[in-house]
Amino acid sequence: MKSGNARQAMNRGLWDRTDGLSHQVPGSGGPDGNNYDPLRLPPSLQPTNVYGLDYTRFPRCFKIDIPTVHIYGIKDPRYTSSMQLAHFCAEDKRRVYDHGGGHEIPRTTKVSEQIAELLYWLEKTMEEQKSYM
């Protein structure tokens, strides 16, 4: 306790240590600096190489063609899989949200409201598609 390490560890969140991840977690501003938008896939992540997969080689008929919502955190050890799954879904029918945390979703009002908004969008989109059938 004298060195303060135990106290510092208590103040650190479970997902704050990111040095062992297979992807880079930059400082403030998200994956692409100040231009980062948590409601868009990172622009630096090109469809030709999404952690080893080239999505330009997959025909659209192989993609998931229903409305989808992808909620993930940049500090999650499974972030790379989240990006691959999101790219397997039809671009015009998917919504994404990076809550900025790890594997557990942060329990803040802002995050909860954003997730609720995405789920309302999903419900509305599914209802609209049902009426076309």
Side-chain angles (χ1 to χ4, degrees), residues 92-108:
D92 58 331
K93 294 183 180 182
R94 75 170 176 234
R95 295 291 182 270
V96 300
Y97 177 57
D98 180 357
H99 56 65
H103 192 67
E104 294 180 12
I105 298 172
R107 293 169 180 87
T108 64

Side-chain angles (χ1 to χ4, degrees), residues 32-63:
D32 292 306
N34 294 331
N35 296 328
Y36 182 66
D37 181 354
L39 296 171
R40 295 199 183 327
L41 290 174
S44 61
L45 195 57
Q46 297 301 309
T48 53
N49 184 9
V50 181
Y51 300 103
L53 291 175
D54 182 353
Y55 286 90
T56 61
R57 299 189 64 139
F58 291 98
R60 176 151 176 130
C61 66
F62 286 177
K63 294 208 173 192

